[in-house]
Amino acid sequence: MPPARRHGKLRQRLSSEIDKLEPHTALPTERELAVRHEVSRSTVRQALDSLADAGIVYRVHGAGTFVAAQTISKSHTLTSFTEDMHARGLTPGTRLIAADETVAGRSTGEELRTAPDHRVLRLIRLRTADDRPMCLETVHLRADRVPGLLSLDLNTSLYDILQNQYALRLVRAEQVWTAISLDERSAILLGVPAGAAAFHVRRVGLDERGRPQEATTSRSTGWWAEAGRVPSGVDCPKDGIETKDRLFVMFLDGRGRACCHARVAFPTL
């Protein structure tokens, strides 16, 4: 059997076995897997490499290979802003507003599971698509996990930098969405009137081991954030229609015309 076919077949077997295991369960060693499946350690290594690339397992140097936590997002994989915009046929862009080092504080410290006085890096960036402002985000990262980050070009995909420079791969996120009215500074940067309706999103990005690596807040104007064009025949007031577990929000343009809508799901309380 050709080597590629051998490790592909082993990958399928291991994937089926992993489906029955809890996240962060340790897998047998390469030697044990080789004996169990009657293949070479090289074949085992290639199969595990493939599973790691797919986010099914992760490795810890000196400890072994572990089952990764299930990814959570619309497409079952966490994608970056850059990837999302490319998928929509738009050209992504980033404008760095500020970047510094500070202390985490109570709220960010809780999200990153660290002490309030722990040092973190704070990045404030304006994200654009086809040169149009999309969202204003403030990212917090533990300083000890990303040494030298502030010296890098931060006008690119941060997720790419984290993965390529620091081997930090974010695979899922916990997010809280709320509707807000924009303050004057945010509105100016986003190119909309002060007080305009927007989404405020608080996100904690986690790696394969379930560890929080980023704590981000963003303000997004309604025309982009989980939004779509208004379907024909829809008549919705500006404040939206609230149902048992869902809020249908309609955003209006400067002339009071409905320009986009968004459906935000909430857990049943």
Side-chain angles (χ1 to χ4, degrees):
M1 183 184 297
R5 187 177 175 185
R6 279 199 298 270
H7 87 254
K9 191 172 182 179
L10 177 60
R11 181 192 187 281
Q12 293 178 347
R13 290 179 184 171
L14 293 177
S15 183
S16 296
E17 293 174 5
I18 288 169
D19 286 342
K20 303 172 185 176
L21 301 176
E22 293 294 322
H24 314 304
T25 299
L27 297 185
T29 65
E30 290 182 2
R31 182 187 298 276
E32 291 170 336
L33 289 172
V35 172
R36 178 186 301 178
H37 295 281
E38 299 181 339
V39 296
S40 67
R41 290 186 64 179
S42 175
T43 298
V44 171
R45 193 172 300 114
Q46 291 179 65
L48 291 177
D49 286 343
S50 179
L51 291 171
D53 290 340
I56 298 173
V57 301
Y58 65 90
R59 289 189 171 101
V60 178
H61 182 69
T65 304
F66 300 82
V67 179
Q70 183 179 3
T71 57
I72 300 175
S73 74
K74 298 188 299 294
S75 60
H76 304 291
T77 55
L78 182 62
T79 56
S80 69
F81 174 88
T82 299
E83 292 171 325
D84 284 342
M85 293 305 101
H86 282 312
R88 296 165 188 248
L90 303 172
T91 302
T94 303
R95 173 186 164 196
L96 182 65
I97 306 298
D100 59 8
E101 183 173 325
T102 183
V103 294
R106 182 183 61 82
S107 179
T108 300
E110 289 178 354
E111 291 176 327
L112 293 176
R113 299 178 196 167
T114 189
D117 59 354
H118 196 97
R119 305 299 294 182
V120 297
L121 302 186
R122 176 176 55 191
L123 314 177
I124 303 175
R125 307 193 304 168
L126 180 67
R127 313 306 300 274
T128 64
D130 290 346
D131 296 322
R132 182 177 181 180
M134 300 288 277
C135 67
L136 180 65
E137 64 178 22
T138 301
V139 183
H140 290 91
L141 305 162
R142 287 182 49 156
D144 58 346
R145 292 182 179 170
V146 287
L149 179 70
L150 296 183
S151 65
L152 302 179
D153 179 10
L154 300 175
N155 291 306
T156 59
S157 171
L158 181 60
Y159 281 13
D160 284 349
I161 293 175
L162 293 178
Q163 182 168 343
N164 297 331
Q165 299 291 329
Y166 300 99
L168 296 177
R169 182 168 177 264
L170 305 185
V171 298
R172 66 187 182 99
E174 297 172 353
Q175 299 187 120
V176 176
W177 292 63
T178 54
I180 62 169
S181 296
L182 288 174
D183 59 83
E184 185 175 3
R185 177 177 178 273
S186 298
I188 290 173
L189 290 170
L190 289 169
V192 296
F199 280 125
H200 180 273
V201 184
R202 195 165 189 94
R203 180 180 73 248
V204 177
L206 302 100
D207 62 16
E208 298 103 322
R209 300 172 64 183
R211 300 178 305 176
Q213 298 292 355
E214 65 147 347
T216 298
T217 58
S218 64
R219 292 176 171 85
S220 305
T221 50
W223 77 275
W224 168 70
E226 294 301 313
R229 293 296 173 188
V230 177
S232 60
V234 171
D235 183 16
C236 180
K238 181 178 180 180
D239 293 335
I241 298 174
E242 185 174 1
T243 62
K244 180 178 180 181
D245 62 349
R246 194 172 295 272
L247 181 66
F248 186 98
V249 183
M250 186 70 69
F251 290 89
L252 309 181
D253 63 16
R255 297 181 181 179
R257 300 173 302 184
C259 58
C260 62
H261 72 279
R263 289 181 174 87
V264 187
F266 297 95
T268 302
L269 300 178

